[in-house]
Amino acid sequence: MKICCLGAGYVGGPTMAMIAAKCPQIEVLVVDPNAKRIAAWNSEELPVYEPGLFEVVKTARGRNLFFSTDVEAAIKAADMIFVCVGTPTKTYGVGAGQAADLKYVELTARTIARVAEGHKIIVEKSTVPVRTAHAIQTILRANSRNGQFQVLSNPEFLAEGTAIADLQSPDRILIGGEPTPEGQQAAAALVDIYANWVPRDRILTTNLWSSELSKLVANAFLAQRISSINSISALCEATGADVDEVAHAIGRDSRIGPKFLKASVGFGGSCFQKDILNLTYLCKYFNLPEVAAYWESVVRMNDWQKSRFAKYIVNQLFNTVTGKQIAVLGFAFKKDTNDTRETAAISVCRDLLEEGATVVVYDPRVPAEQIRQDVLGDKTNPNLKIVNSALAACDNTHAIAVLTEWDEFKNIDFAAALEGMHKPAFIFDGRNVLPHKKLSDLGYRVYAVGKPVPPAA
Ligand code: UDX
Ligand code: UDX
């Protein structure tokens, strides 16, 4: 059996590497028109940073895992075609700012229709609005001369930073197919692939629309938990309660559970905001404005949390940061990834620059050029500086803001490290990862999300 994957991004690359590693009998070809990306997948320096990924790629690359830019040849050769192209939020036209932009998905469907011959199973892995599989089906059937297609929905639930563990032992695999005999047969073929390493009782099959909708709803529920705890973090700061203690106390209720209750400077990543906006758009489209407003508030709370954090820094620094230097530790949207899409650091850095601060950023994995592009776009601003160590960022700074929970920040020996440097007086911990007590004892004023505000000096 031969499978190919269109789109060599954060989802396509790792997912296909895992399938190839677990199924040596299947030939897996990952294609992408982006030649630079493909060259990176074929090199020692993969385009996606993910712990354990390189080892998995190395097991299979050149054996039954291949990366190429020849999209058409891959489609022709494959029995099963995974669609993992991006689906960003639309920036233009109807639904701008909310609906998913399906131009890449549609383009992909048209390319498949043009070049594919014979029976093919199309697996939609990109997160899409409900009924996209239907649209793909229609495009394929209307435009293909010699192809017969079955479209499946198989959303990916991996989280970045833990992608390899998530792929290795997923909570569940979800496969949606048409209720026809051909549809069921196609779904069974995909079940068989996963069954090479995933227990069968973890592989769920549903109808197409349930599968598509479940992906949006799963992300909406996860993001909702973060907005819920972040809303409480503000109340904790105001009342002197400690958000970690509250999270721990409520998480012990087995109906609530302990995971995903970490207050933060705000959630980021390519999925949460995009998928909720997508869900909101769907609800409006189907004339359910109350449902749309309910979910939209999760994103609004997140936006508020991000801007609240920047304002908090300015307030504590005596209401002005003009001419002051602020070290930003961490830029990725979470630890163990080089991904910066929708990271809270973008808006925090922008807000601080706007207030006239000099912002010095360090992230262990995100390239300087990426940080510059994310914060400034095509503009320039000499007040944004990017350095290559945490210590360089902290040298001679007024305040330190921790925006990503990288392990290396937890272990900085601030006392020894800043010996001989002009010591910053303020630390703002947007992730609650530093040893607050120890730092206070060293004379720092430590402010953290959802923690009691230290008494005025
Ligand atoms: C994935 C999913 O596809 C998206 O729907 C989900 O919501 C988030 O995860 P991701 O892998 O993170 O996206 O995106 P990205 O890293 O941008 O990769 C997409 C790849 O598709 C890019 O390498 C791009 O070059 C490629 N692509 C895009 C194609 O191969 N063909 C196209 O027509 C457009
Ligand atoms: C998410 C989903 O978890 C995954 O199932 C889906 O396939 C894609 O979207 P991802 O965005 O990669 O994965 O990472 P996730 O671990 O969910 O974190 C998202 C954001 O929420 C990060 O910015 C993270 O820092 C933040 N977060 C997470 C919190 O602020 N608090 C928490 O308790 C958990």
PDB file of all heavy atoms in Angstrom, residues 53-84:
ATOM      1  N   LEU A  53      11.076  13.797  17.566  1.00  0.00           N
ATOM      2  CA  LEU A  53      10.663  13.683  16.157  1.00  0.00           C
ATOM      3  C   LEU A  53      11.799  13.195  15.264  1.00  0.00           C
ATOM      4  O   LEU A  53      11.606  12.325  14.406  1.00  0.00           O
ATOM      5  CB  LEU A  53      10.138  15.039  15.663  1.00  0.00           C
ATOM      6  CG  LEU A  53       9.812  15.135  14.166  1.00  0.00           C
ATOM      7  CD1 LEU A  53       8.690  14.169  13.784  1.00  0.00           C
ATOM      8  CD2 LEU A  53       9.397  16.571  13.784  1.00  0.00           C
ATOM      9  N   PHE A  54      12.993  13.738  15.500  1.00  0.00           N
ATOM     10  CA  PHE A  54      14.097  13.392  14.606  1.00  0.00           C
ATOM     11  C   PHE A  54      14.388  11.893  14.639  1.00  0.00           C
ATOM     12  O   PHE A  54      14.614  11.271  13.609  1.00  0.00           O
ATOM     13  CB  PHE A  54      15.342  14.207  14.982  1.00  0.00           C
ATOM     14  CG  PHE A  54      16.442  14.080  13.974  1.00  0.00           C
ATOM     15  CD1 PHE A  54      16.219  14.407  12.640  1.00  0.00           C
ATOM     16  CD2 PHE A  54      17.696  13.623  14.339  1.00  0.00           C
ATOM     17  CE1 PHE A  54      17.226  14.283  11.684  1.00  0.00           C
ATOM     18  CE2 PHE A  54      18.718  13.488  13.394  1.00  0.00           C
ATOM     19  CZ  PHE A  54      18.476  13.816  12.077  1.00  0.00           C
ATOM     20  N   GLU A  55      14.295  11.307  15.824  1.00  0.00           N
ATOM     21  CA  GLU A  55      14.558   9.870  15.964  1.00  0.00           C
ATOM     22  C   GLU A  55      13.530   9.070  15.149  1.00  0.00           C
ATOM     23  O   GLU A  55      13.862   8.116  14.458  1.00  0.00           O
ATOM     24  CB  GLU A  55      14.498   9.440  17.433  1.00  0.00           C
ATOM     25  CG  GLU A  55      15.682   9.892  18.279  1.00  0.00           C
ATOM     26  CD  GLU A  55      15.740  11.406  18.487  1.00  0.00           C
ATOM     27  OE1 GLU A  55      14.663  12.049  18.526  1.00  0.00           O
ATOM     28  OE2 GLU A  55      16.855  11.956  18.580  1.00  0.00           O
ATOM     29  N   VAL A  56      12.262   9.494  15.229  1.00  0.00           N
ATOM     30  CA  VAL A  56      11.214   8.773  14.498  1.00  0.00           C
ATOM     31  C   VAL A  56      11.434   8.932  12.991  1.00  0.00           C
ATOM     32  O   VAL A  56      11.358   7.958  12.232  1.00  0.00           O
ATOM     33  CB  VAL A  56       9.805   9.297  14.894  1.00  0.00           C
ATOM     34  CG1 VAL A  56       8.725   8.627  14.067  1.00  0.00           C
ATOM     35  CG2 VAL A  56       9.550   9.056  16.374  1.00  0.00           C
ATOM     36  N   VAL A  57      11.766  10.141  12.556  1.00  0.00           N
ATOM     37  CA  VAL A  57      12.004  10.376  11.125  1.00  0.00           C
ATOM     38  C   VAL A  57      13.168   9.508  10.655  1.00  0.00           C
ATOM     39  O   VAL A  57      13.102   8.851   9.610  1.00  0.00           O
ATOM     40  CB  VAL A  57      12.286  11.877  10.849  1.00  0.00           C
ATOM     41  CG1 VAL A  57      12.818  12.093   9.441  1.00  0.00           C
ATOM     42  CG2 VAL A  57      11.010  12.699  11.056  1.00  0.00           C
ATOM     43  N   LYS A  58      14.220   9.474  11.469  1.00  0.00           N
ATOM     44  CA  LYS A  58      15.408   8.719  11.059  1.00  0.00           C
ATOM     45  C   LYS A  58      15.135   7.224  10.905  1.00  0.00           C
ATOM     46  O   LYS A  58      15.703   6.564  10.047  1.00  0.00           O
ATOM     47  CB  LYS A  58      16.537   8.936  12.072  1.00  0.00           C
ATOM     48  CG  LYS A  58      17.421  10.095  11.678  1.00  0.00           C
ATOM     49  CD  LYS A  58      18.883   9.922  12.054  1.00  0.00           C
ATOM     50  CE  LYS A  58      19.080   9.554  13.495  1.00  0.00           C
ATOM     51  NZ  LYS A  58      20.154  10.257  14.173  1.00  0.00           N
ATOM     52  N   THR A  59      14.229   6.685  11.743  1.00  0.00           N
ATOM     53  CA  THR A  59      13.895   5.257  11.653  1.00  0.00           C
ATOM     54  C   THR A  59      13.396   4.914  10.257  1.00  0.00           C
ATOM     55  O   THR A  59      13.669   3.842   9.724  1.00  0.00           O
ATOM     56  CB  THR A  59      12.712   4.928  12.607  1.00  0.00           C
ATOM     57  OG1 THR A  59      12.878   5.630  13.790  1.00  0.00           O
ATOM     58  CG2 THR A  59      12.528   3.457  12.828  1.00  0.00           C
ATOM     59  N   ALA A  60      12.609   5.829   9.668  1.00  0.00           N
ATOM     60  CA  ALA A  60      11.889   5.448   8.450  1.00  0.00           C
ATOM     61  C   ALA A  60      12.359   6.170   7.191  1.00  0.00           C
ATOM     62  O   ALA A  60      12.116   5.695   6.078  1.00  0.00           O
ATOM     63  CB  ALA A  60      10.390   5.705   8.651  1.00  0.00           C
ATOM     64  N   ARG A  61      13.035   7.304   7.364  1.00  0.00           N
ATOM     65  CA  ARG A  61      13.387   8.100   6.179  1.00  0.00           C
ATOM     66  C   ARG A  61      14.312   7.315   5.263  1.00  0.00           C
ATOM     67  O   ARG A  61      15.290   6.724   5.718  1.00  0.00           O
ATOM     68  CB  ARG A  61      14.049   9.414   6.603  1.00  0.00           C
ATOM     69  CG  ARG A  61      14.074  10.455   5.509  1.00  0.00           C
ATOM     70  CD  ARG A  61      14.462  11.809   6.047  1.00  0.00           C
ATOM     71  NE  ARG A  61      15.820  11.824   6.619  1.00  0.00           N
ATOM     72  CZ  ARG A  61      16.353  12.873   7.246  1.00  0.00           C
ATOM     73  NH1 ARG A  61      15.639  13.983   7.387  1.00  0.00           N
ATOM     74  NH2 ARG A  61      17.564  12.820   7.732  1.00  0.00           N
ATOM     75  N   GLY A  62      13.970   7.288   3.953  1.00  0.00           N
ATOM     76  CA  GLY A  62      14.787   6.542   2.996  1.00  0.00           C
ATOM     77  C   GLY A  62      14.409   5.072   2.930  1.00  0.00           C
ATOM     78  O   GLY A  62      14.749   4.374   1.980  1.00  0.00           O
ATOM     79  N   ARG A  63      13.674   4.591   3.962  1.00  0.00           N
ATOM     80  CA  ARG A  63      13.210   3.193   3.960  1.00  0.00           C
ATOM     81  C   ARG A  63      11.804   3.168   3.366  1.00  0.00           C
ATOM     82  O   ARG A  63      11.589   2.708   2.255  1.00  0.00           O
ATOM     83  CB  ARG A  63      13.195   2.652   5.390  1.00  0.00           C
ATOM     84  CG  ARG A  63      12.688   1.207   5.495  1.00  0.00           C
ATOM     85  CD  ARG A  63      12.494   0.786   6.950  1.00  0.00           C
ATOM     86  NE  ARG A  63      11.323   1.419   7.557  1.00  0.00           N
ATOM     87  CZ  ARG A  63      10.982   1.287   8.844  1.00  0.00           C
ATOM     88  NH1 ARG A  63      11.722   0.560   9.658  1.00  0.00           N
ATOM     89  NH2 ARG A  63       9.894   1.872   9.309  1.00  0.00           N
ATOM     90  N   ASN A  64      10.855   3.721   4.072  1.00  0.00           N
ATOM     91  CA  ASN A  64       9.484   3.806   3.548  1.00  0.00           C
ATOM     92  C   ASN A  64       8.883   5.191   3.785  1.00  0.00           C
ATOM     93  O   ASN A  64       7.683   5.368   3.716  1.00  0.00           O
ATOM     94  CB  ASN A  64       8.597   2.721   4.178  1.00  0.00           C
ATOM     95  CG  ASN A  64       8.443   2.912   5.673  1.00  0.00           C
ATOM     96  OD1 ASN A  64       9.356   3.369   6.354  1.00  0.00           O
ATOM     97  ND2 ASN A  64       7.286   2.545   6.192  1.00  0.00           N
ATOM     98  N   LEU A  65       9.739   6.155   4.115  1.00  0.00           N
ATOM     99  CA  LEU A  65       9.271   7.530   4.309  1.00  0.00           C
ATOM    100  C   LEU A  65      10.082   8.450   3.414  1.00  0.00           C
ATOM    101  O   LEU A  65      11.309   8.452   3.477  1.00  0.00           O
ATOM    102  CB  LEU A  65       9.458   7.938   5.779  1.00  0.00           C
ATOM    103  CG  LEU A  65       9.140   9.392   6.130  1.00  0.00           C
ATOM    104  CD1 LEU A  65       7.655   9.703   5.940  1.00  0.00           C
ATOM    105  CD2 LEU A  65       9.549   9.709   7.577  1.00  0.00           C
ATOM    106  N   PHE A  66       9.365   9.208   2.569  1.00  0.00           N
ATOM    107  CA  PHE A  66      10.062  10.073   1.610  1.00  0.00           C
ATOM    108  C   PHE A  66       9.413  11.451   1.593  1.00  0.00           C
ATOM    109  O   PHE A  66       8.205  11.580   1.814  1.00  0.00           O
ATOM    110  CB  PHE A  66      10.003   9.452   0.209  1.00  0.00           C
ATOM    111  CG  PHE A  66      10.547   8.050   0.172  1.00  0.00           C
ATOM    112  CD1 PHE A  66       9.688   6.955   0.330  1.00  0.00           C
ATOM    113  CD2 PHE A  66      11.908   7.811   0.028  1.00  0.00           C
ATOM    114  CE1 PHE A  66      10.182   5.650   0.333  1.00  0.00           C
ATOM    115  CE2 PHE A  66      12.413   6.517   0.028  1.00  0.00           C
ATOM    116  CZ  PHE A  66      11.554   5.426   0.187  1.00  0.00           C
ATOM    117  N   PHE A  67      10.216  12.463   1.347  1.00  0.00           N
ATOM    118  CA  PHE A  67       9.722  13.842   1.266  1.00  0.00           C
ATOM    119  C   PHE A  67      10.057  14.392  -0.118  1.00  0.00           C
ATOM    120  O   PHE A  67      11.194  14.254  -0.570  1.00  0.00           O
ATOM    121  CB  PHE A  67      10.383  14.705   2.340  1.00  0.00           C
ATOM    122  CG  PHE A  67      10.051  14.272   3.742  1.00  0.00           C
ATOM    123  CD1 PHE A  67      10.854  13.365   4.423  1.00  0.00           C
ATOM    124  CD2 PHE A  67       8.911  14.753   4.380  1.00  0.00           C
ATOM    125  CE1 PHE A  67      10.543  12.954   5.713  1.00  0.00           C
ATOM    126  CE2 PHE A  67       8.595  14.352   5.676  1.00  0.00           C
ATOM    127  CZ  PHE A  67       9.407  13.452   6.339  1.00  0.00           C
ATOM    128  N   SER A  68       9.071  15.015  -0.770  1.00  0.00           N
ATOM    129  CA  SER A  68       9.326  15.500  -2.126  1.00  0.00           C
ATOM    130  C   SER A  68       8.429  16.684  -2.465  1.00  0.00           C
ATOM    131  O   SER A  68       7.433  16.947  -1.797  1.00  0.00           O
ATOM    132  CB  SER A  68       9.095  14.333  -3.101  1.00  0.00           C
ATOM    133  OG  SER A  68       8.439  14.741  -4.261  1.00  0.00           O
ATOM    134  N   THR A  69       8.795  17.400  -3.535  1.00  0.00           N
ATOM    135  CA  THR A  69       7.952  18.510  -3.990  1.00  0.00           C
ATOM    136  C   THR A  69       7.064  18.097  -5.154  1.00  0.00           C
ATOM    137  O   THR A  69       6.276  18.905  -5.651  1.00  0.00           O
ATOM    138  CB  THR A  69       8.821  19.698  -4.458  1.00  0.00           C
ATOM    139  OG1 THR A  69       9.771  19.198  -5.396  1.00  0.00           O
ATOM    140  CG2 THR A  69       9.531  20.379  -3.305  1.00  0.00           C
ATOM    141  N   ASP A  70       7.205  16.855  -5.606  1.00  0.00           N
ATOM    142  CA  ASP A  70       6.431  16.432  -6.777  1.00  0.00           C
ATOM    143  C   ASP A  70       5.034  15.966  -6.349  1.00  0.00           C
ATOM    144  O   ASP A  70       4.778  14.775  -6.158  1.00  0.00           O
ATOM    145  CB  ASP A  70       7.185  15.321  -7.521  1.00  0.00           C
ATOM    146  CG  ASP A  70       6.581  15.109  -8.910  1.00  0.00           C
ATOM    147  OD1 ASP A  70       5.435  15.563  -9.139  1.00  0.00           O
ATOM    148  OD2 ASP A  70       7.250  14.485  -9.747  1.00  0.00           O
ATOM    149  N   VAL A  71       4.137  16.932  -6.220  1.00  0.00           N
ATOM    150  CA  VAL A  71       2.796  16.678  -5.708  1.00  0.00           C
ATOM    151  C   VAL A  71       2.017  15.744  -6.638  1.00  0.00           C
ATOM    152  O   VAL A  71       1.384  14.780  -6.198  1.00  0.00           O
ATOM    153  CB  VAL A  71       2.044  18.025  -5.529  1.00  0.00           C
ATOM    154  CG1 VAL A  71       0.626  17.793  -5.060  1.00  0.00           C
ATOM    155  CG2 VAL A  71       2.808  18.923  -4.559  1.00  0.00           C
ATOM    156  N   GLU A  72       2.090  16.012  -7.933  1.00  0.00           N
ATOM    157  CA  GLU A  72       1.259  15.245  -8.863  1.00  0.00           C
ATOM    158  C   GLU A  72       1.669  13.774  -8.931  1.00  0.00           C
ATOM    159  O   GLU A  72       0.812  12.887  -8.933  1.00  0.00           O
ATOM    160  CB  GLU A  72       1.298  15.896 -10.246  1.00  0.00           C
ATOM    161  CG  GLU A  72       0.730  17.313 -10.183  1.00  0.00           C
ATOM    162  CD  GLU A  72       0.383  17.906 -11.535  1.00  0.00           C
ATOM    163  OE1 GLU A  72       0.593  17.223 -12.551  1.00  0.00           O
ATOM    164  OE2 GLU A  72      -0.106  19.056 -11.544  1.00  0.00           O
ATOM    165  N   ALA A  73       2.969  13.530  -8.973  1.00  0.00           N
ATOM    166  CA  ALA A  73       3.432  12.136  -9.025  1.00  0.00           C
ATOM    167  C   ALA A  73       2.978  11.393  -7.766  1.00  0.00           C
ATOM    168  O   ALA A  73       2.572  10.224  -7.828  1.00  0.00           O
ATOM    169  CB  ALA A  73       4.952  12.088  -9.139  1.00  0.00           C
ATOM    170  N   ALA A  74       3.014  12.066  -6.636  1.00  0.00           N
ATOM    171  CA  ALA A  74       2.630  11.423  -5.370  1.00  0.00           C
ATOM    172  C   ALA A  74       1.144  11.066  -5.400  1.00  0.00           C
ATOM    173  O   ALA A  74       0.746   9.974  -4.975  1.00  0.00           O
ATOM    174  CB  ALA A  74       2.924  12.353  -4.208  1.00  0.00           C
ATOM    175  N   ILE A  75       0.321  11.973  -5.901  1.00  0.00           N
ATOM    176  CA  ILE A  75      -1.121  11.713  -5.963  1.00  0.00           C
ATOM    177  C   ILE A  75      -1.398  10.521  -6.872  1.00  0.00           C
ATOM    178  O   ILE A  75      -2.186   9.634  -6.547  1.00  0.00           O
ATOM    179  CB  ILE A  75      -1.874  12.966  -6.475  1.00  0.00           C
ATOM    180  CG1 ILE A  75      -1.763  14.102  -5.449  1.00  0.00           C
ATOM    181  CG2 ILE A  75      -3.325  12.644  -6.795  1.00  0.00           C
ATOM    182  CD1 ILE A  75      -2.318  15.441  -5.925  1.00  0.00           C
ATOM    183  N   LYS A  76      -0.707  10.503  -8.002  1.00  0.00           N
ATOM    184  CA  LYS A  76      -0.930   9.406  -8.965  1.00  0.00           C
ATOM    185  C   LYS A  76      -0.606   8.056  -8.348  1.00  0.00           C
ATOM    186  O   LYS A  76      -1.324   7.082  -8.544  1.00  0.00           O
ATOM    187  CB  LYS A  76      -0.041   9.611 -10.204  1.00  0.00           C
ATOM    188  CG  LYS A  76      -0.626  10.591 -11.196  1.00  0.00           C
ATOM    189  CD  LYS A  76       0.037  10.449 -12.561  1.00  0.00           C
ATOM    190  CE  LYS A  76      -0.460  11.570 -13.447  1.00  0.00           C
ATOM    191  NZ  LYS A  76       0.581  12.483 -13.879  1.00  0.00           N
ATOM    192  N   ALA A  77       0.489   8.004  -7.590  1.00  0.00           N
ATOM    193  CA  ALA A  77       0.974   6.712  -7.094  1.00  0.00           C
ATOM    194  C   ALA A  77       0.202   6.206  -5.875  1.00  0.00           C
ATOM    195  O   ALA A  77       0.195   5.009  -5.599  1.00  0.00           O
ATOM    196  CB  ALA A  77       2.456   6.830  -6.760  1.00  0.00           C
ATOM    197  N   ALA A  78      -0.460   7.114  -5.141  1.00  0.00           N
ATOM    198  CA  ALA A  78      -0.988   6.723  -3.832  1.00  0.00           C
ATOM    199  C   ALA A  78      -2.351   6.049  -3.898  1.00  0.00           C
ATOM    200  O   ALA A  78      -3.182   6.362  -4.743  1.00  0.00           O
ATOM    201  CB  ALA A  78      -1.083   7.957  -2.942  1.00  0.00           C
ATOM    202  N   ASP A  79      -2.585   5.114  -2.942  1.00  0.00           N
ATOM    203  CA  ASP A  79      -3.921   4.537  -2.765  1.00  0.00           C
ATOM    204  C   ASP A  79      -4.736   5.416  -1.825  1.00  0.00           C
ATOM    205  O   ASP A  79      -5.955   5.480  -1.909  1.00  0.00           O
ATOM    206  CB  ASP A  79      -3.818   3.142  -2.131  1.00  0.00           C
ATOM    207  CG  ASP A  79      -2.901   2.239  -2.914  1.00  0.00           C
ATOM    208  OD1 ASP A  79      -3.220   1.954  -4.078  1.00  0.00           O
ATOM    209  OD2 ASP A  79      -1.830   1.855  -2.381  1.00  0.00           O
ATOM    210  N   MET A  80      -4.031   6.031  -0.902  1.00  0.00           N
ATOM    211  CA  MET A  80      -4.703   6.847   0.105  1.00  0.00           C
ATOM    212  C   MET A  80      -3.988   8.195   0.174  1.00  0.00           C
ATOM    213  O   MET A  80      -2.759   8.242   0.209  1.00  0.00           O
ATOM    214  CB  MET A  80      -4.623   6.129   1.454  1.00  0.00           C
ATOM    215  CG  MET A  80      -5.549   6.661   2.504  1.00  0.00           C
ATOM    216  SD  MET A  80      -5.387   5.733   4.047  1.00  0.00           S
ATOM    217  CE  MET A  80      -6.562   4.422   3.882  1.00  0.00           C
ATOM    218  N   ILE A  81      -4.768   9.299   0.167  1.00  0.00           N
ATOM    219  CA  ILE A  81      -4.169  10.638   0.130  1.00  0.00           C
ATOM    220  C   ILE A  81      -4.618  11.432   1.351  1.00  0.00           C
ATOM    221  O   ILE A  81      -5.812  11.699   1.527  1.00  0.00           O
ATOM    222  CB  ILE A  81      -4.589  11.376  -1.160  1.00  0.00           C
ATOM    223  CG1 ILE A  81      -4.133  10.580  -2.396  1.00  0.00           C
ATOM    224  CG2 ILE A  81      -4.029  12.805  -1.174  1.00  0.00           C
ATOM    225  CD1 ILE A  81      -4.762  11.055  -3.696  1.00  0.00           C
ATOM    226  N   PHE A  82      -3.686  11.787   2.214  1.00  0.00           N
ATOM    227  CA  PHE A  82      -3.999  12.614   3.392  1.00  0.00           C
ATOM    228  C   PHE A  82      -3.881  14.082   3.001  1.00  0.00           C
ATOM    229  O   PHE A  82      -2.900  14.480   2.377  1.00  0.00           O
ATOM    230  CB  PHE A  82      -3.016  12.324   4.534  1.00  0.00           C
ATOM    231  CG  PHE A  82      -3.253  11.014   5.214  1.00  0.00           C
ATOM    232  CD1 PHE A  82      -2.828   9.819   4.636  1.00  0.00           C
ATOM    233  CD2 PHE A  82      -3.906  10.950   6.439  1.00  0.00           C
ATOM    234  CE1 PHE A  82      -3.045   8.602   5.271  1.00  0.00           C
ATOM    235  CE2 PHE A  82      -4.125   9.740   7.081  1.00  0.00           C
ATOM    236  CZ  PHE A  82      -3.695   8.565   6.491  1.00  0.00           C
ATOM    237  N   VAL A  83      -4.862  14.865   3.400  1.00  0.00           N
ATOM    238  CA  VAL A  83      -4.812  16.304   3.137  1.00  0.00           C
ATOM    239  C   VAL A  83      -4.482  17.024   4.451  1.00  0.00           C
ATOM    240  O   VAL A  83      -5.286  17.035   5.384  1.00  0.00           O
ATOM    241  CB  VAL A  83      -6.152  16.809   2.565  1.00  0.00           C
ATOM    242  CG1 VAL A  83      -6.100  18.313   2.332  1.00  0.00           C
ATOM    243  CG2 VAL A  83      -6.479  16.068   1.266  1.00  0.00           C
ATOM    244  N   CYS A  84      -3.275  17.573   4.520  1.00  0.00           N
ATOM    245  CA  CYS A  84      -2.806  18.254   5.744  1.00  0.00           C
ATOM    246  C   CYS A  84      -2.358  19.673   5.428  1.00  0.00           C
ATOM    247  O   CYS A  84      -1.405  20.179   6.022  1.00  0.00           O
ATOM    248  CB  CYS A  84      -1.639  17.498   6.354  1.00  0.00           C
ATOM    249  SG  CYS A  84      -2.059  15.901   7.025  1.00  0.00           S
TER     250      CYS A  84
END
